[in-house]
Amino acid sequence: VGNRGRQPQTYADYRDHMKIFAMRKAKEGRMNENYAVLYQEFLSNPKTEGQAKLLAKKLFTYRLYCDDKKIRYVIVRHEQLREEEIYPCIQGVAYPRIYTEDAAILFQDDKQRRYSATVDYSLKKTMDEDGAVRKVLALGVDEPGVLLHYCESHELDKDNLDIFQRLVKSDAFCMEYKQKVRRRILDYYAEHVFGEDLDQYLKQMDYREYARVDRQKLLVVLISRGLFSQAQAIVEEFGYEGVDMRSLL
């Protein structure tokens, strides 16, 4: 792949074989800097959901190097996710996936002792995600790391509202974070309640979860859009207490 500029015919002759090889290795879960070059070349423009799923599992992979010989695993914790992710560290090299700037990186030795600030390490991105993230999401892939990166790095608008809604439906995220995203969604509804046709999204909401975030704001939105039966159901379950009735008139 690196020599395609100097040997374009050779590249053309072997391109299909290399693409098949790259897809096979991605399915096997292989990852290093050489595989990353192949994935970047042959998987970064997916056309099907299957191709997008393969690419999604490789995005945001870094090459991590540490010279501490006792380290056997690298652990990445994202506070937004319910589970931490553990990667083998072989001869000082690991390939963790890091979705946000505030992720915590820990290290574990063969006795299951964990370290953080006492281990020096370096990180290097293995792939360029520009453009790939939106392509993956557009093909219906809800890979948690991709959803997290997107929603943490984009403002919510009418074109990506469905992506934020897909995140809060995922079991991979902790409840506190999903409630935080629901608040962003609810705020957006409230700000655009008369300006955009949001009814198709509103009718798909889990009203109970949004009521726990801000019952009054939810009721204002539902009533403003004429969704009276949904508003009544919220009132019947959660009551009027604490609701400013004047805002509902």
Side-chain angles (χ1 to χ4, degrees), residues 110-127:
D110 55 2
K111 296 181 180 178
Q112 298 188 334
R113 293 176 297 198
R114 292 190 171 188
Y115 311 85
S116 56
T118 59
V119 177
D120 293 326
Y121 64 93
S122 63
L123 284 174
K124 178 183 177 183
K125 289 192 74 171
T126 62
M127 296 177 66

Side-chain angles (χ1 to χ4, degrees), residues 16-33:
D16 289 344
H17 295 290
M18 289 189 290
K19 183 174 183 178
I20 292 170
F21 177 80
M23 293 185 69
R24 185 170 74 246
K25 293 304 174 183
K27 289 177 181 178
E28 293 174 1
R30 301 295 183 89
M31 191 62 185
N32 62 30
E33 289 178 289

Side-chain angles (χ1 to χ4, degrees), residues 133-134 149-156 160 164 184:
V133 170
R134 197 59 194 255
H149 176 86
Y150 185 91
C151 293
E152 283 294 290
S153 58
H154 288 77
E155 291 297 321
L156 194 156
N160 63 20
F164 286 79
R184 290 177 67 183

Side-chain angles (χ1 to χ4, degrees), residues 158-177:
K158 65 178 181 179
D159 295 323
N160 63 20
L161 178 58
D162 68 304
I163 295 174
F164 286 79
Q165 291 185 316
R166 283 153 61 182
L167 184 149
V168 299
K169 293 178 181 178
S170 171
D171 293 333
F173 297 91
C174 66
M175 183 55 67
E176 182 180 356
Y177 181 64

Side-chain angles (χ1 to χ4, degrees), residues 1-11:
V1 174
N3 292 326
R4 65 179 176 178
R6 293 189 297 273
Q7 299 175 309
Q9 188 57 51
T10 301
Y11 174 83

